[in-house]
Amino acid sequence: MKIEGKVVMITGAVRGIGRGLVDAFLKAGANRVYAASRNLEAYSHPDKRVIPLQLDVTNQESIQSAVKMAGDTQILVNNAGVLEFGNLLEADRDSFRRNLEVNLWGNLDMDRAFVPVLARNGEAAVVNILTLLSMVSAPGMSAYNASKAAAWSLGMSLRATLASQSIPVFNVFPGAVDTDMLAGVEMTKTPPAIVAAAIVEGLKAGTEDIFPDPMSQTVYDGWKKDHKAVEKQFASM
Ligand SMILES: NC(=O)c1ccc[n+]([C@@H]2O[C@H](COP(=O)([O-])OP(=O)(O)OC[C@H]3O[C@@H](n4cnc5c(N)ncnc54)[C@H](OP(=O)(O)O)[C@@H]3O)[C@@H](O)[C@H]2O)c1
């Protein structure tokens, strides 16, 4: 799809992958980027095309006021996410609830609120920032795995739902990225700016399922050949 001239709404945009996406969309020629976050206190962006916007994706009133402020949105990027560590048998039940509230219900509520906006604004798209852990589980992140697997399913349902309106849904499956979310986890991580640039390239190329970094591409290649082998590999992490 064409990014030039588009109006983009990015949730969780002030740090990590979201921050990278703001710059990647600007570089690709977006006309306006709504940079949404719960906390805008320390946020500013030198480019006048960026409009900071207060948004908590778990709060209906907050979502409705975002719809009012950003009624010209054409590309919705569901990037906001939380990760709480914990294994399936021991993690607090509330930890599952908190992961689901942002990673699943947040996407659902943003989709429901913004699809009517997208539908009246010309060429449009929804982009869901999922994870490899939507496809394969790592045992120490059970609540996150479950929320992101459900978010993948939601994204596929949305794709089917919007097919008749010709609004594409892009699902993105990053591997490990060097952001606050994985701070303290020792492993090879891709810089968020590189991941963000690859996501925007994927949109431009019309790639529905985007694997935006070397880890995600390698794991996906293995998953296509033998998903049980990848399941065993991740289970031993
Ligand atoms: N880092 C990785 O290795 C990795 C890998 C695969 C996928 N991902 C996914 O990439 C996305 C971005 O994560 P990140 O790595 O950039 O992590 P991050 O730096 O921790 O950023 C997470 C963002 O989500 C926002 N957020 C959390 N709860 C929210 C809520 N209730 N309402 C609105 N915004 C909320 C945060 O906003 P505030 O500033 O308001 O807290 C923050 O901007 C997530 O969906 C994550 O699951 C990350």
Side-chain angles (χ1 to χ4, degrees):
M1 77 179 295
K2 196 175 156 205
I3 307 299
E4 217 176 347
K6 288 286 188 308
V7 178
V8 187
M9 148 73 82
I10 303 172
T11 67
V14 308
R15 56 194 167 93
I17 296 172
R19 193 181 189 98
L21 284 168
V22 171
D23 291 330
F25 275 107
L26 291 173
K27 196 170 171 208
N31 213 22
R32 177 171 301 153
V33 179
Y34 292 106
S37 171
R38 287 175 300 182
N39 184 0
L40 293 167
E41 253 167 48
Y43 184 70
S44 68
H45 196 287
D47 194 307
K48 286 197 176 63
R49 290 174 291 167
V50 177
I51 317 277
L53 191 152
Q54 186 81 32
L55 173 66
D56 180 341
V57 300
T58 66
N59 180 305
Q60 292 293 345
E61 278 176 28
S62 179
I63 291 176
Q64 284 314 317
S65 73
V67 166
K68 281 193 195 118
M69 269 193 71
D72 53 353
T73 297
Q74 295 169 293
I75 302 177
L76 167 65
V77 185
N78 288 314
N79 168 72
V82 293
L83 184 165
E84 293 190 26
F85 292 92
N87 94 20
L88 180 74
L89 299 178
E90 289 158 8
D92 187 347
R93 201 171 184 282
D94 275 348
S95 171
F96 278 76
R97 186 183 52 72
R98 286 190 295 271
N99 278 265
L100 285 161
E101 261 177 13
V102 179
N103 300 343
L104 179 65
W105 306 127
N107 284 13
L108 176 65
D109 290 338
M110 285 296 290
D111 293 344
R112 286 183 171 180
F114 273 91
V115 162
V117 173
L118 305 184
R120 63 171 187 256
N121 287 333
E123 190 190 26
V126 178
V127 183
N128 297 313
I129 309 301
L130 306 170
T131 158
L132 278 179
L133 298 177
S134 298
M135 311 175 82
V136 57
S137 289
M141 309 179 188
S142 313
Y144 182 74
N145 297 332
S147 67
K148 288 289 193 175
W152 180 23
S153 176
L154 192 77
M156 289 188 287
S157 294
L158 185 67
R159 185 179 285 159
T161 305
L162 296 184
S164 60
Q165 295 180 61
S166 301
I167 298 177
V169 175
F170 295 89
N171 285 333
V172 183
F173 303 86
V177 187
D178 195 4
T179 69
D180 292 350
M181 188 169 274
L182 281 193
V185 177
E186 289 300 321
M187 62 191 297
T188 305
K189 297 177 228 174
T190 304
I194 289 179
V195 171
I199 293 169
V200 171
E201 283 308 310
L203 298 193
K204 281 160 90 176
T207 309
E208 278 192 348
D209 295 327
I210 300 173
F211 294 85
D213 57 275
M215 178 183 176
S216 65
Q217 286 148 15
T218 303
V219 171
Y220 184 52
D221 282 346
W223 189 86
K224 280 186 290 187
K225 287 183 198 119
D226 184 355
H227 73 274
K228 294 301 289 180
V230 176
E231 184 183 320
K232 285 199 183 88
Q233 182 200 345
F234 272 62
S236 65
M237 273 181 177

